[in-house]
Amino acid sequence: YWMEKYPERTQLLVFSYEDLTNNYSGPFVAERIAAFLGEVNRVDPIAPESIPCVWETIVNYKNVAPPPTEETVSEDMEGTKWQQATPPVLEQGQMMETPLVVEEPDILRKTHADPSSLREGPKIRPYTQKNLADMQAMFRRLSEKYNSHKGFARIMASYMEVVSNTVPVND
């Protein structure tokens, strides 16, 4: 659908879920997304140096250490100085010029996000020989139709490889 809708490929960013969620390529895909969005007027993506951290927090959250418990924090917080931050009083419509800064121990600086993702399910999916043949044919057709788009063709080739290495279940 999207390949037809945007024949001008500069208006289309193509990447695979597998590339986005891969520990190596994921942060690079996130950088491509930010750069692509940054090409639109009035869209200001986050700073490039923040992208890997945001990727870790949002996409790779299952591999991030859970938030500290009282037991783990109590040892690490000994000697930590906390500053009492009082927000300034602002008149209606007035914005703060600089954000409030609260000194906190290093252990609390790592954000743990749990976006309640639905990215779970069986790792092994039972496909019949016909299912696999149909998928292989579809990926091949799409790859041939859009072979001028190297990124799309690469994704289709990777899907064809996965399908060709998948063992079918008995009907």
Side-chain angles (χ1 to χ4, degrees), residues 9-15 29 32-34 36-37 149:
R9 301 291 184 247
T10 59
Q11 297 177 345
L12 182 67
L13 177 63
V14 177
F15 59 90
V29 172
R32 287 181 51 216
I33 294 169
F36 181 77
L37 294 174
H149 192 285

PDB file of all heavy atoms in Angstrom, residues 9-15 29 32-34 36-37 149:
ATOM      1  N   ARG A   9       9.970   8.212  -3.485  1.00  0.00           N
ATOM      2  CA  ARG A   9      10.530   7.493  -2.337  1.00  0.00           C
ATOM      3  C   ARG A   9      11.161   8.398  -1.278  1.00  0.00           C
ATOM      4  O   ARG A   9      11.396   7.962  -0.162  1.00  0.00           O
ATOM      5  CB  ARG A   9      11.562   6.462  -2.801  1.00  0.00           C
ATOM      6  CG  ARG A   9      11.005   5.422  -3.748  1.00  0.00           C
ATOM      7  CD  ARG A   9      10.031   4.488  -3.046  1.00  0.00           C
ATOM      8  NE  ARG A   9       9.598   3.468  -3.965  1.00  0.00           N
ATOM      9  CZ  ARG A   9       8.364   3.365  -4.423  1.00  0.00           C
ATOM     10  NH1 ARG A   9       7.444   4.183  -4.028  1.00  0.00           N
ATOM     11  NH2 ARG A   9       8.037   2.420  -5.273  1.00  0.00           N
ATOM     12  N   THR A  10      11.405   9.646  -1.587  1.00  0.00           N
ATOM     13  CA  THR A  10      11.963  10.542  -0.566  1.00  0.00           C
ATOM     14  C   THR A  10      10.910  10.871   0.492  1.00  0.00           C
ATOM     15  O   THR A  10      11.253  11.357   1.557  1.00  0.00           O
ATOM     16  CB  THR A  10      12.476  11.854  -1.190  1.00  0.00           C
ATOM     17  OG1 THR A  10      11.388  12.504  -1.854  1.00  0.00           O
ATOM     18  CG2 THR A  10      13.612  11.584  -2.161  1.00  0.00           C
ATOM     19  N   GLN A  11       9.644  10.598   0.198  1.00  0.00           N
ATOM     20  CA  GLN A  11       8.575  10.863   1.167  1.00  0.00           C
ATOM     21  C   GLN A  11       8.195   9.608   1.945  1.00  0.00           C
ATOM     22  O   GLN A  11       7.181   9.584   2.619  1.00  0.00           O
ATOM     23  CB  GLN A  11       7.338  11.392   0.439  1.00  0.00           C
ATOM     24  CG  GLN A  11       7.560  12.711  -0.257  1.00  0.00           C
ATOM     25  CD  GLN A  11       6.320  13.150  -1.014  1.00  0.00           C
ATOM     26  OE1 GLN A  11       5.413  12.384  -1.246  1.00  0.00           O
ATOM     27  NE2 GLN A  11       6.298  14.412  -1.383  1.00  0.00           N
ATOM     28  N   LEU A  12       9.004   8.581   1.831  1.00  0.00           N
ATOM     29  CA  LEU A  12       8.695   7.301   2.456  1.00  0.00           C
ATOM     30  C   LEU A  12       9.938   6.757   3.152  1.00  0.00           C
ATOM     31  O   LEU A  12      11.010   6.693   2.561  1.00  0.00           O
ATOM     32  CB  LEU A  12       8.221   6.311   1.381  1.00  0.00           C
ATOM     33  CG  LEU A  12       7.813   4.927   1.836  1.00  0.00           C
ATOM     34  CD1 LEU A  12       6.544   4.996   2.676  1.00  0.00           C
ATOM     35  CD2 LEU A  12       7.568   4.042   0.610  1.00  0.00           C
ATOM     36  N   LEU A  13       9.781   6.373   4.403  1.00  0.00           N
ATOM     37  CA  LEU A  13      10.869   5.740   5.143  1.00  0.00           C
ATOM     38  C   LEU A  13      10.482   4.290   5.364  1.00  0.00           C
ATOM     39  O   LEU A  13       9.440   4.006   5.962  1.00  0.00           O
ATOM     40  CB  LEU A  13      11.096   6.435   6.489  1.00  0.00           C
ATOM     41  CG  LEU A  13      12.167   5.820   7.378  1.00  0.00           C
ATOM     42  CD1 LEU A  13      13.531   5.897   6.720  1.00  0.00           C
ATOM     43  CD2 LEU A  13      12.188   6.494   8.730  1.00  0.00           C
ATOM     44  N   VAL A  14      11.280   3.384   4.862  1.00  0.00           N
ATOM     45  CA  VAL A  14      10.986   1.956   4.972  1.00  0.00           C
ATOM     46  C   VAL A  14      12.030   1.298   5.865  1.00  0.00           C
ATOM     47  O   VAL A  14      13.231   1.451   5.638  1.00  0.00           O
ATOM     48  CB  VAL A  14      10.993   1.292   3.576  1.00  0.00           C
ATOM     49  CG1 VAL A  14      10.769  -0.211   3.700  1.00  0.00           C
ATOM     50  CG2 VAL A  14       9.939   1.916   2.683  1.00  0.00           C
ATOM     51  N   PHE A  15      11.545   0.592   6.874  1.00  0.00           N
ATOM     52  CA  PHE A  15      12.420  -0.195   7.735  1.00  0.00           C
ATOM     53  C   PHE A  15      11.593  -1.343   8.277  1.00  0.00           C
ATOM     54  O   PHE A  15      10.369  -1.310   8.271  1.00  0.00           O
ATOM     55  CB  PHE A  15      13.025   0.640   8.872  1.00  0.00           C
ATOM     56  CG  PHE A  15      12.003   1.278   9.775  1.00  0.00           C
ATOM     57  CD1 PHE A  15      11.545   0.621  10.903  1.00  0.00           C
ATOM     58  CD2 PHE A  15      11.498   2.538   9.484  1.00  0.00           C
ATOM     59  CE1 PHE A  15      10.594   1.207  11.720  1.00  0.00           C
ATOM     60  CE2 PHE A  15      10.552   3.134  10.293  1.00  0.00           C
ATOM     61  CZ  PHE A  15      10.094   2.465  11.417  1.00  0.00           C
ATOM     62  N   VAL A  29      18.301   2.721  13.245  1.00  0.00           N
ATOM     63  CA  VAL A  29      16.982   2.907  12.637  1.00  0.00           C
ATOM     64  C   VAL A  29      16.273   4.073  13.321  1.00  0.00           C
ATOM     65  O   VAL A  29      15.649   4.907  12.658  1.00  0.00           O
ATOM     66  CB  VAL A  29      16.134   1.614  12.723  1.00  0.00           C
ATOM     67  CG1 VAL A  29      14.706   1.862  12.272  1.00  0.00           C
ATOM     68  CG2 VAL A  29      16.771   0.507  11.895  1.00  0.00           C
ATOM     69  N   ARG A  32      17.502   7.208  11.910  1.00  0.00           N
ATOM     70  CA  ARG A  32      16.909   7.452  10.586  1.00  0.00           C
ATOM     71  C   ARG A  32      15.497   8.006  10.726  1.00  0.00           C
ATOM     72  O   ARG A  32      15.096   8.906   9.991  1.00  0.00           O
ATOM     73  CB  ARG A  32      16.888   6.166   9.766  1.00  0.00           C
ATOM     74  CG  ARG A  32      18.247   5.745   9.254  1.00  0.00           C
ATOM     75  CD  ARG A  32      18.187   4.466   8.426  1.00  0.00           C
ATOM     76  NE  ARG A  32      17.180   4.508   7.386  1.00  0.00           N
ATOM     77  CZ  ARG A  32      16.455   3.467   6.996  1.00  0.00           C
ATOM     78  NH1 ARG A  32      16.630   2.287   7.563  1.00  0.00           N
ATOM     79  NH2 ARG A  32      15.569   3.578   6.045  1.00  0.00           N
ATOM     80  N   ILE A  33      14.730   7.466  11.677  1.00  0.00           N
ATOM     81  CA  ILE A  33      13.368   7.949  11.904  1.00  0.00           C
ATOM     82  C   ILE A  33      13.395   9.411  12.325  1.00  0.00           C
ATOM     83  O   ILE A  33      12.647  10.239  11.803  1.00  0.00           O
ATOM     84  CB  ILE A  33      12.642   7.090  12.961  1.00  0.00           C
ATOM     85  CG1 ILE A  33      12.427   5.675  12.431  1.00  0.00           C
ATOM     86  CG2 ILE A  33      11.317   7.730  13.363  1.00  0.00           C
ATOM     87  CD1 ILE A  33      11.951   4.683  13.488  1.00  0.00           C
ATOM     88  N   ALA A  34      14.264   9.747  13.261  1.00  0.00           N
ATOM     89  CA  ALA A  34      14.357  11.133  13.740  1.00  0.00           C
ATOM     90  C   ALA A  34      14.765  12.075  12.606  1.00  0.00           C
ATOM     91  O   ALA A  34      14.192  13.159  12.455  1.00  0.00           O
ATOM     92  CB  ALA A  34      15.347  11.224  14.894  1.00  0.00           C
ATOM     93  N   PHE A  36      14.330  11.618   9.388  1.00  0.00           N
ATOM     94  CA  PHE A  36      13.215  11.668   8.439  1.00  0.00           C
ATOM     95  C   PHE A  36      12.124  12.607   8.951  1.00  0.00           C
ATOM     96  O   PHE A  36      11.626  13.467   8.211  1.00  0.00           O
ATOM     97  CB  PHE A  36      12.655  10.253   8.227  1.00  0.00           C
ATOM     98  CG  PHE A  36      11.527  10.176   7.246  1.00  0.00           C
ATOM     99  CD1 PHE A  36      11.774  10.224   5.884  1.00  0.00           C
ATOM    100  CD2 PHE A  36      10.223  10.037   7.681  1.00  0.00           C
ATOM    101  CE1 PHE A  36      10.741  10.144   4.968  1.00  0.00           C
ATOM    102  CE2 PHE A  36       9.181   9.946   6.781  1.00  0.00           C
ATOM    103  CZ  PHE A  36       9.438  10.006   5.416  1.00  0.00           C
ATOM    104  N   LEU A  37      11.766  12.482  10.217  1.00  0.00           N
ATOM    105  CA  LEU A  37      10.747  13.366  10.790  1.00  0.00           C
ATOM    106  C   LEU A  37      11.229  14.806  10.848  1.00  0.00           C
ATOM    107  O   LEU A  37      10.432  15.740  10.707  1.00  0.00           O
ATOM    108  CB  LEU A  37      10.345  12.882  12.186  1.00  0.00           C
ATOM    109  CG  LEU A  37       9.621  11.543  12.235  1.00  0.00           C
ATOM    110  CD1 LEU A  37       9.413  11.105  13.679  1.00  0.00           C
ATOM    111  CD2 LEU A  37       8.304  11.604  11.484  1.00  0.00           C
ATOM    112  N   HIS A 149      13.833   0.025  -4.983  1.00  0.00           N
ATOM    113  CA  HIS A 149      13.990   0.525  -3.611  1.00  0.00           C
ATOM    114  C   HIS A 149      14.846  -0.487  -2.848  1.00  0.00           C
ATOM    115  O   HIS A 149      14.371  -1.533  -2.417  1.00  0.00           O
ATOM    116  CB  HIS A 149      12.626   0.691  -2.941  1.00  0.00           C
ATOM    117  CG  HIS A 149      12.686   1.453  -1.661  1.00  0.00           C
ATOM    118  ND1 HIS A 149      13.180   0.898  -0.499  1.00  0.00           N
ATOM    119  CD2 HIS A 149      12.337   2.725  -1.374  1.00  0.00           C
ATOM    120  CE1 HIS A 149      13.114   1.801   0.464  1.00  0.00           C
ATOM    121  NE2 HIS A 149      12.606   2.918  -0.037  1.00  0.00           N
TER     122      HIS A 149
END
